[in-house]
Amino acid sequence: MNRDPLPIRILLIALAFLVMALLIGLPLITVFAQALSKGWGEYVLALLDKTTLSAIRLTLITALISVTVNLVFGVMAAWAIAKYEFRGKSFLLTLIDLPFSVSPVIAGLVFVLMFGLQGWFGPALQGTGIKIIFALPGIVLATMFVTFPFVARELIPLMQEQGTEDEEAAVSLGASGFQTFFLVTLPNIKWGLVYGVLLCNARAMGEFGAVSVVSGHIRGKTNTMPLHVEILYNEYNFTAAFAVASLLALLAFVTLAAQSLLEWKKGHA
Amino acid sequence: MSIDAIDITKDFDGFVALKSVSLSVNRGELLALLGPSGSGKTTLLRIIAGLEWPDAGDVRIEGKSVLRVNARERGVGFVFQHYALFRHMTVFDNVAFGLTVRTRHLRPSKADIAKRVHELLELVQIERLVKRYPSELSGGQRQRVALARALAIEPIVLLLDEPFGALDAKVRKELRRWLRRLNEETGMTSIFVTHDQEEAMEIADRVVVMSQGRIEQIGKPAEIYENPANPFVCEFLGSANRIPLTWADGKMAHPAIDLDAITVRPALVGAENIYVRPHDIDMVKDAAGVGTVRFLSVVGPIARVDVEVAGLEKPVEVDMPAHRLTRAGIEVGAPVRLTAVKGHVY
């Protein structure tokens, strides 16, 4: 056990709480205080605004697509890395981590350079009439890029630790690949997967930089919630800006609560 | 079912796990693959199970090559060292797994599956644990579940990878006798991997001693114990004192240990060493003896004695009945004379 004198322990714990309160608690309170500064009526009205609702819808669609895709590819990549031995494994790991180390703005720019009007595929795309940049596909691509590591990163250590014996046992008992995955592998990684999806979703909904570059900020069309907050704020429409921001903050709380619940469940599993 | 492994070679990124290994397992036999870690015994077992593929060679079951048959269709029961139980399933679901994953027209009815599971749990003597989860079981119980699960698919052969390695001594003994009985009662061909020579010697019909990807010797336990084919087998099967030899007129000798009782085939005359087991050495207290007792440990019926002998780097290990040790008045520091009654010359 820790032998530090009591006063030091109290001081350190108090300091930790103080810093957290100042750096994280206070801003969060401000968000809600500002959002509700003109009362609940204004708050609800701000949220029911047509462009706000469209921003919420776009954010939900974007998150749904990118989280689903990242879930599937994340599981595949984690499976490959954890269960197979192959050349270039560490390179693949580095690639998976790349979005963490690249500035989101650059992630957005990459897609503009590829699919924008002056980009590599720009002219070809124009011919087909498919819009990627300044449209939903670009926003989804940028979000996917930024959030790719979450699921894979959560699963790789878990799967590595569990090894391949359970799968081998299932196969030797006559299970097909699908049965092995759904009856054995998936239940084994269930909590890690939910955890990864939660984090991935929180980031997907909150992503600003990459999306900002590819979105084009078309009000009511290509504005996600974070972009919408910025626009409202720049228009000095503080109540509305903070109202939308409060939704994002709420998302953070929900994620946090779900995360704690998972930790608790894992501890009791 | 009879199993033949023919010229199996397996290379893991430059580490040669098996070098042209051939092995025939008779129908109904209980065979032990015995060797130190890294000897390739587990790899050989996994290749037979279809969990690993050889770089060269063939695996035949009842004379038919099964290399094109994957583990799923090979119908082999495999028991893992660390059980590999499905942790989110109850004991019942674990044992039933192999039956419930069958395609519909091959799958027994729910009632039949339940009946079969209960029979198997009875066989491994853990019926009362049917609703538990693996995390609520002891190591021995987990391994019983793993055995029942492997037997549920009515495998053509049973393969066990260090099945009792992670268990404590008492449970290990109990389970290995159980395996022996199972083999006798069902007549199912079984192969188990172990690094414990006592385990292999006690229950196997035949023992395959492996080292560095090769088979060193195959034989009945008593055969290989009595006549180890080479120094490796001799030393692996139990402790042995290596005593360097001098030769005169076709007779071997050692300045400190009497070897006159042992005769060697003419072909071996001139060999460098003789290997003598600790219990094949007679020790008497003798003021003129060249050995000195350095250490002795008497726990139970056998006394283990280390005797220092001039000219030998390591002390000579001698085992003798504890009561004889006391009667002979042998204690630490006593001068003793050593006579080897049996030994192996290579």
Side-chain angles (χ1 to χ4, degrees), chain A residues 100-183:
Chain A
F100 274 161
S101 46
V102 167
S103 159
V105 176
I106 295 176
L109 270 177
V110 167
F111 290 107
V112 173
L113 288 176
M114 283 205 301
F115 301 116
L117 273 183
Q118 325 297 329
W120 291 356
F121 305 109
L125 280 170
Q126 213 176 12
T128 63
I130 300 172
K131 277 200 81 173
I132 290 185
I133 300 304
F134 304 152
L136 180 69
I139 296 173
V140 170
L141 277 176
T143 307
M144 263 166 49
F145 180 92
V146 173
T147 57
F148 184 77
F150 287 99
V151 174
R153 263 287 150 198
E154 195 63 44
L155 292 183
I156 289 167
L158 189 66
M159 285 177 140
Q160 272 173 337
E161 185 204 311
Q162 289 177 347
T164 50
E165 274 201 353
D166 282 14
E167 282 80 13
E168 286 176 348
V171 169
S172 79
L173 290 167
S176 67
F178 273 105
Q179 285 172 324
T180 303
F181 180 75
F182 284 105
L183 298 176

Side-chain angles (χ1 to χ4, degrees), chain B residues 242-278:
Chain B
R242 189 176 69 195
I243 297 160
L245 297 172
T246 53
W247 293 85
D249 301 334
K251 277 184 73 77
M252 60 183 174
H254 183 270
I257 301 163
D258 184 352
L259 300 170
D260 293 346
I262 307 166
T263 50
V264 277
R265 284 185 283 126
L268 293 170
V269 167
E272 269 178 51
N273 296 299
I274 183 167
Y275 294 80
V276 184
R277 299 222 180 272

Side-chain angles (χ1 to χ4, degrees), chain B residues 81-143:
Chain B
Q81 181 180 7
H82 298 294
Y83 329 123
L85 295 180
F86 306 131
R87 66 204 86 178
H88 58 281
M89 293 183 200
T90 60
V91 167
F92 181 95
D93 290 334
N94 264 283
V95 177
F97 186 86
L99 301 174
T100 49
V101 295
R102 285 192 186 163
T103 51
R104 194 159 300 151
H105 65 282
L106 290 173
R107 193 191 310 148
S109 71
K110 272 201 165 162
D112 286 343
I113 291 180
K115 191 166 156 258
R116 179 98 183 104
V117 170
H118 283 284
E119 279 168 13
L120 285 161
L121 290 179
E122 204 173 317
L123 182 72
V124 294
Q125 300 153 359
I126 48 167
E127 306 112 284
R128 69 207 149 78
L129 303 176
V130 62
K131 285 182 186 147
R132 299 272 191 90
Y133 283 89
S135 60
E136 300 165 332
L137 305 178
S138 71
Q141 290 167 339
R142 286 180 204 185
Q143 195 56 294

Side-chain angles (χ1 to χ4, degrees), chain A residues 245-264:
Chain A
S246 74
L247 287 185
L248 286 170
L250 221 56
L251 167 74
F253 280 128
V254 170
T255 308
L256 207 68
Q259 213 174 314
S260 316
L261 189 73
L262 278 185
E263 297 273 312
W264 181 83

